[in-house]
Amino acid sequence: MSSPTADLADSGNERLLRRLAWWLGLGGLVPFVGHAVAAWWMPAPLNQLAVSSQVLYAALILSFLGALHWGMALNGTGRLGGPSLVGRLVWSVLPACYGLFVAQLVYRHALVALAAGLLAAYLVDWMIYRQSPGLAWFLNLCCC
């Protein structure tokens, strides 16, 4: 039995799948922007709620970015120009652990640490996906 993704690619709709992934990725930026605007414009103490939510959302996204590597390893694509399957699995849990730890810090430190974590996740993705012609399009999602 094939996966829905394979069915889309096989039926010539890979472009549609990529476009959908791009729009969903772009939609994932809405909370980042919304939280920043809310933190700027909301009166205290409500602005702290927006900052707290931003920290949690960034940690969640960092966890998601790591989980993509878990999925790639389980799907058997861990060797595509990148680390071994073991390396892919190990990397896949690090962003979640890091995000959980830094989300507990004072907000201003947590935001900086999470931004650094998101940058690190992008750099790891860049090193892996740029070497994989079939997956290089994925980097465009990171750079909208």
Side-chain angles (χ1 to χ4, degrees), residues 109-129:
H109 299 302
L111 289 171
V112 170
L114 287 165
L118 290 167
L119 177 61
Y122 171 74
L123 292 174
V124 168
D125 287 351
W126 181 78
M127 288 187 295
I128 293 171
Y129 297 123

Side-chain angles (χ1 to χ4, degrees), residues 3-4 11-12 24 47 50 56 61 68 86 91 98 102 104 112 115 118 139 143:
S3 71
S11 66
L24 291 171
N47 62 348
L56 294 175
I61 293 300
L68 292 174
V86 172
W91 167 252
Y98 177 80
V102 300
Q104 320 260 339
V112 170
L118 290 167
L139 286 174
C143 300

Side-chain angles (χ1 to χ4, degrees), residues 51-76:
V51 173
S52 172
S53 186
Q54 178 77 310
V55 166
L56 294 175
Y57 185 70
L60 178 71
I61 293 300
L62 197 53
S63 179
F64 173 79
L65 293 174
L68 292 174
H69 291 272
W70 183 279
M72 292 279 192
L74 294 181
N75 191 32

